[in-house]
């Protein structure tokens, strides 16, 4: 069975990574790449890496055209733009993996507070399926619409959920000090992500206001059955890709580093993409892969959990293919071993 | 009056920055550069940046030779090596700015616990003078020996001391999540600081064990008159220089972001090298300068103070010249405006 | 005597470097910064590095306003925009250092061929004064308008002119393979200079079509009295600043590496900012300075001359201040020792 | 059929890339990793990227032990060390892909002149098989020992050989100005490849003396049947990986850019890993892949050919697996599509 897939918003970094991964997937054919431009550039002029590997133009396609050509859509559109087209795609019988933020938050009010706009498709939110398989795998199988997680929430949730679920840490006063490569800011030219602005520099951004905050809190609450509050501080690292989250949580009782690591290891023992390590993880250790490396240290009154992922892969396009594999009952690691 | 200065351990990055800054100082002549090697390389072969600007060899000099040639010594030796020679230099009437860690901690037991060795000159510790002028200026004036602060302690202490002193934050459960450029690890070739290991990667190191922890706690305690406890997590950023510290503290009472920024601004109103800013500071904003930029944000139950410095300048060699200027009663900013 | 200076087009990288350098100049006061925007942003919001160091807004100023406030103007405008305002400034009695390309080429036809537009002020071109002091110092002294050289032409001309002038190399079949940091591409957001596009990548651009080609040829011709032809290939290096030019020329007669280096050394023996070195120069050796480091190697049938400069300093703003110093009869190195 | 493979000298970057690629090869099992250390570190402590993906220690193994465990050996040893063990491996019936320089040059005298030592196995040189399939595919099929090409020679030879073979360029006065990421310098800690030395810097090295020069000349001579002379200038780029070669050659007759590109395209029309492109190639376009991108431009009296590869993949480990596939009659692209 070959699944015909389309990628909406195919000019950016996550779309490129999706194409690259899907080209390795024996049961997938990429049949559509969309852009809102009208000049139909060949994909190799937008992503020269794909020269000779994928022979398609980027096109401004209608939903009917997409429905004719594709079985499944990967949405790489900005938030709000995504929820404006997803309902039509689902109505036409397509499956959708949505990489935007539109179907991640179940509470419309929270969405509208943090994203500052009306949600175009609010009715679908309460039952939306959040595609973080290591925490919430079952509903993804066979789903028609999966909300692909944000990069920071993946990194922080994989670090903290096991300890919260095990009752080892308190659900409040959690600090997530996170650091990301610049590709996380997208491919639209902006002063702040110009090379000479980012290179040889390090800074925080969105302190106290980043939209991934409620997504992290929702994941931790759902995984642990408790209301959770998180202080989330993202920073920009002068590198292309990778996220490291340094998570500070308060133990509920005395605990050692070995016990904390052990709790993580037990939780993830059967997961193909999460490796609990003894040493300190570096983003380079997972760069270009769908892996997450995790460890823990007890220091003073805090458990520190450190996690690394590749923001474009486990934090976006690799996770999307992992979800796709579950939705279509392929082996979960297909096209993701690297 | 021209002060003749020597630099001990002149092969590294802080020594180069010292030489570069001192060449701008009209009242200084660099008269000695030392190395433990015996082949007397010209400084321009060790630091090609100084070609045509400084005409001296690096030499293996005795204390008597140094005393003949110099009035003041900047020590860029490793810890323990430094305290092995400082007493002899002081006895010979030289003044010393010591950039090593040897005279920073006043409690010998704390030194020996964190540095894992006997201190070569323990008697001098209790009265040692710590060269962070913004917090402890007076004793530096006219001192014979000044312990130049560590890079991380400078960054964290300037961020937290004013709020502690003002009673705005609690002295415990402080988290300092700090990020440094690679030059902080020194110029000795090591696998961990090889370009292809650091570039395109981000990682924590020394979690819970970094030797700057007690130095930060000592500074905060001295500034605030309270025992302080800090969880300190350093990270390595793929850039040459710069430190950003993201400091999380608990307010003692309800406080706004504006009030926190205001408290910082009042504290530093007369300081030439500390700028309290409204926006989020980036290490690039202070790169190559002796400045520290600071701001604060109140998020949830925490005050977050963010500070940036250039680790090699305000975090090392610039601070050393600032101390030198105080010791010799030059204008404090001499050679440091940039 | 204090010279009141204004900087036109003050939002970019060269304008920042100019401000930074001029703040060190005891005989200069910066009195105007211009932008074509109307919201008068404070310079510290555009260049946070200048917080607390320069207290001026960026303003949309008329030529009359500039003439009231300033004695000398540094123009950091794009080409064509610059020549549209320079005549009015000169008429009002101001001196101008123009960092754009508008007054560099003496032949209007060559300008219009390479820049693809009509020149707004063609009459002034034939007598324009090109500000590369090491090759053409005399006319700069006392000039009212100086065309500040391009970054690549500075690097290539300093490398090749001495050997051409000495008759050691042939004036044709010269290859200049040049490599520049990304700041050379300016501060306007563009896809090609976005961090994730440039970082971890290396590419040529403008092969055979770069506008600095005729400028290099003009300099070499003027210095040597011969028509010169150069193949110029610029490349983009994932770093902020620095240019290295690897120049391949044919010797006119058998020559050794030592003789080639010696010819360079004799030529530049009295120059404060050019250092002929024996080792291979790296851009880092001159980063942040107004220096040029040069060396030569004879390999096979070619003399290879390698030169490095900081593109923003010796290749732009440092050179501009060097020219300013000559125009006003200040010591040529004022504010440029670093 | 599963081929059991061992990797000699498994601590470096090329060995990691080999392991990563071979883990994707369905007909390969990695059965031995060697090091000259005796403490048998687990591969995941040397290459944390392989945590959970490869469960082997690095061992100090004898040739007999290797012969027991393996069918084929990939040698990642330094030159001279490699030729000291290869004969014993071949005698024990193993096949060998040697990534060192030891079996690349067919003329012992040339080897000894450029490498400065006696060759340990000179008799095998004249008939050695050089593994650059795009130029010399046939002898690789079924070979027992293949000399894997150097990274620079791959890049330059693929760029120049087609035009030489077509008689479009002259075989002398060729300039190859090449630029490489730092991983090319290996994983042994050295001052020159320390992060703060390379980052934000660009420099040439080995001008006129780099050992890849005779290898390029040998390839071009063999491909074209003419004696060739090349001036080869390597440079170090502050990035992990990638090589761009800018090759300047003299046309034998008038030629256009379109004709030059066309000649390249015809030559490589059936090659799976060489893409002739119209735009200017960037190393990022082939990063992490076994592809080479090539283009040409005619400028003045020169044809400029620009080629990019990933130095660790097409320039080392990818090419090694491509050779392995040919040696064992697997599809040439097995495990190399990415």
């Amino acid at each position: 069975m070959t699944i015909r897939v389309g990628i909406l918003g195919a000019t950016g970094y996550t779309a490129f990574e999706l194409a690259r991964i899907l080209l390795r997937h024996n049961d997938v054919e990429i049949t559509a790449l969309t852009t809102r431009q009208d000049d139909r550039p060949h994909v190799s002029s937008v992503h020269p890496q794909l020269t000779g590997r994928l022979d398609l133009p980027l096109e401004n396609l209608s939903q009917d055209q997409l429905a004719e050509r594709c079985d499944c859509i990967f949405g790489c559109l900005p938030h709000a733009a995504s929820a404006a087209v997803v309902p039509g795609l689902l109505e036409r019988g397509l499956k959708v993996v949505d990489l935007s933020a539109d179907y991640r938050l179940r509470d419309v009010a929270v969405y509208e507070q943090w994203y500052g706009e009306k949600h175009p498709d609010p009715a679908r939110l309460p039952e939306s399926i959040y595609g973080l398989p290591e925490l919430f795998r079952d509903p993804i199988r066979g789903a028609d619409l999966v909300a692909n997680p944000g990069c920071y929430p993946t990194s922080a949730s994989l670090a903290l959920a096991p300890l919260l679920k095990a009752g080892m840490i308190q659900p409040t006063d959690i600090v997530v000090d996170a650091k990301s490569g610049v590709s996380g800011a997208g491919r639209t030219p902006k002063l702040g992500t110009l090379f000479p602005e980012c290179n040889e520099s390090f800074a925080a951004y969105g302190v106290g206001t980043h939209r991934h905050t409620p997504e992290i809190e929702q994941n931790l609450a759902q995984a642990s059955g408790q209301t959770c509050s998180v202080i989330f501080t993202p920073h920009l690292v002068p590198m292309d890709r990778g996220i490291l989250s340094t998570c500070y949580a308060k133990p509920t009782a005395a605990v050692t580093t070995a016990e904390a690591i052990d709790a993580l290891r037990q939780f993830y023992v059967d997961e193909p993409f999460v490796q609990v390590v003894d040493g300190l993880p570096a983003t380079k250790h997972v760069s270009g892969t769908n892996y997450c490396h995790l460890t823990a240290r007890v220091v003073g009154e805090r458990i520190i959990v450190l996690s690394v992922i590749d923001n474009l892969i486990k934090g976006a396009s690799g996770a999307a293919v992992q979800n796709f594999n579950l939705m279509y009952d392929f082996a979960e690691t297909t096209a993701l071993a690297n």
Side-chain angles (χ1 to χ4, degrees), chain A residues 133-147:
Chain A
E134 289 79 6
L135 299 182
F136 318 113
R137 182 172 281 111
D138 279 352
I140 302 168
R141 296 185 204 280
D144 287 330
L145 169 60
V146 170

Side-chain angles (χ1 to χ4, degrees), chain A residues 86-97:
Chain A
V86 163
L89 298 171
L90 294 171
E91 283 160 22
R92 283 165 179 82
L94 292 160
K95 293 197 179 223
V96 177
V97 182

